[in-house]
Amino acid sequence: VENSKLGEKIPAGFKPMVDTQVVLYRNTGVTVVNPALWSFNADGSIAHTENASGGNRVYRGHASWFAESTAPATTGTNFQIRR
């Protein structure tokens, strides 16, 4: 799978100002499998590139970015996300 879009979106106020990539390390049980590349995009979309699919996996990694706004949404659908 290459650059496959996920159904989830980053809510307004939390989207990165520029597209941001992160390498995530995956394991299934005690076996570490090939890493995955995830993209957190300025339009709020999330995509991933990885060579394995199916099954249960634990993903580990970290990323940080400057958000598009210093005042995330405090009403409506995105209000449920709390710091």
Side-chain angles (χ1 to χ4, degrees):
V1 173
E2 184 169 353
N3 203 30
S4 177
K5 300 281 186 184
L6 300 179
E8 292 82 3
K9 289 277 200 175
I10 302 169
F14 295 92
K15 298 174 189 174
M17 293 178 71
V18 296
D19 294 352
T20 303
Q21 285 74 40
V22 61
V23 174
L24 295 173
Y25 295 92
R26 304 173 298 160
N27 71 288
T28 177
V30 297
T31 304
V32 176
V33 295
N34 293 329
L37 177 65
W38 283 43
S39 300
F40 299 90
N41 300 312
D43 67 359
S45 65
I46 303 169
H48 67 108
T49 297
E50 49 191 299
N51 65 354
S53 62
N56 294 324
R57 291 184 174 78
V58 175
Y59 290 80
R60 296 177 187 265
H62 67 274
S64 61
W65 58 75
F66 289 100
E68 64 183 6
S69 171
T70 57
T74 56
T75 60
T77 308
N78 297 330
F79 181 63
Q80 296 173 355
I81 297 174
R82 301 175 193 266
R83 293 182 180 212

